[in-house]
Amino acid sequence: MFSSLRKAFFAGLVIVLPVGVTIFLFNWFIVKIGGSFKDEVLAFVPQDVLTADELALFWNIIATLIVLAIVTVLGYLSRYVMAKYLISLGDKVLNNIPVVNTVYTSVKQIVDTFSSQNRAVFQEVVLIEFPRPGSRAIGFLTGSAKGEIQKRTEDDLINIFVPTTPNPTSGFLVMFPRKDVTFLDMTVGEGMKLIISGGAVVPDWIPAEATETSALPKTE
């Protein structure tokens, strides 16, 4: 009986945990963002209304949406020369502040890794024999080898970036013969999740042969 109850409890936990974590993170995000900037972005709201306990969640959500809208507008403005200059100036200021520059640089590297511009550099997810014969590593195709590197070898080389786990902002650039590289079906985003999770989050995959077989009509 206790074994059955334990199994039922864990089965229920598997169902409830994703929902509970999602609600927790959503509430944390609203409270941290909206609660932190509520007084600034909602300065036009009367203070007695803004501090009413029964409206706390409402104002936090409104403040969060305004902050997100401001961030979006900044994203659009970053395309223009003046905005780019101001952003560059801000980077220089933050990079010259002790301690702050360490945190800022680390966070910026991680964000840049997942930005659309840098993710476009990673063309495909590949499997290579690395760092020694007999072992395998996940890497990202960044392009074909060119110039002196390609001309000094007879192999058709391609550039592979092998990120470290769990921080994908650092890694190794290796040039592999195309014939020695296995191209995977997973997307770059799925490959990133696999790297960051240390192999705990593995994307689902159905071999093309199995899909084709299942599509064939059954014969008696």
Side-chain angles (χ1 to χ4, degrees):
M1 181 182 67
F2 287 108
S3 177
S4 178
L5 289 174
R6 184 173 65 253
K7 291 180 179 178
F9 171 77
F10 282 109
L13 191 62
V14 169
I15 297 173
V16 173
L17 193 58
V19 178
V21 171
T22 301
I23 294 174
F24 172 79
L25 291 177
F26 179 78
N27 181 71
W28 178 86
F29 182 78
I30 294 296
V31 171
K32 287 296 181 181
I33 301 298
S36 299
F37 297 97
K38 180 171 60 177
D39 292 336
E40 288 76 13
V41 300
L42 297 175
F44 58 89
V45 179
Q47 197 63 26
D48 55 337
V49 177
L50 190 61
T51 56
D53 294 337
E54 61 273 14
L55 296 176
L57 179 60
F58 172 76
W59 291 125
N60 284 343
I61 293 175
I62 296 298
T64 302
L65 293 176
I66 293 176
V67 171
L68 293 178
I70 293 174
V71 171
T72 303
V73 171
L74 289 175
Y76 278 112
L77 293 177
S78 66
R79 303 176 181 178
Y80 299 97
V81 176
M82 181 57 68
K84 289 182 178 180
Y85 170 76
L86 293 176
I87 292 174
S88 176
L89 185 62
D91 284 342
K92 291 180 180 179
V93 172
L94 291 174
N95 285 327
N96 289 325
I97 301 177
V99 182
V100 173
N101 59 356
T102 303
V103 178
Y104 175 75
T105 302
S106 300
V107 174
K108 192 173 187 300
Q109 287 177 343
I110 295 175
V111 171
D112 287 344
T113 299
F114 289 95
S115 66
S116 58
Q117 293 88 347
N118 282 351
R119 285 185 61 178
V121 174
F122 300 150
Q123 300 173 11
E124 292 187 61
V125 185
V126 300
L127 187 67
I128 58 175
E129 200 168 13
F130 182 85
R132 63 176 180 80
S135 62
R136 299 292 187 274
I138 292 292
F140 298 98
L141 171 67
T142 60
S144 299
K146 298 178 181 179
E148 180 182 0
I149 295 175
Q150 178 58 68
K151 291 181 179 180
R152 284 185 176 272
T153 177
E154 296 178 357
D155 292 321
D156 178 18
L157 298 180
I158 55 177
N159 300 326
I160 306 295
F161 175 70
V162 182
T164 55
T165 299
N167 178 15
T169 60
S170 63
F172 305 91
L173 173 62
V174 291
M175 289 77 171
F176 266 82
R178 186 181 295 271
K179 59 183 176 62
D180 295 335
V181 175
T182 301
F183 291 85
L184 303 180
D185 294 331
M186 69 176 68
T187 64
V188 173
E190 291 172 337
M192 279 292 184
K193 291 178 183 178
L194 180 64
I195 294 294
I196 294 173
S197 67
V201 179
V202 181
D204 295 330
W205 179 65
I206 301 177
E209 295 80 3
T211 305
E212 293 174 359
T213 303
S214 63
L216 295 176
K218 295 183 178 179
T219 58
E220 296 182 358

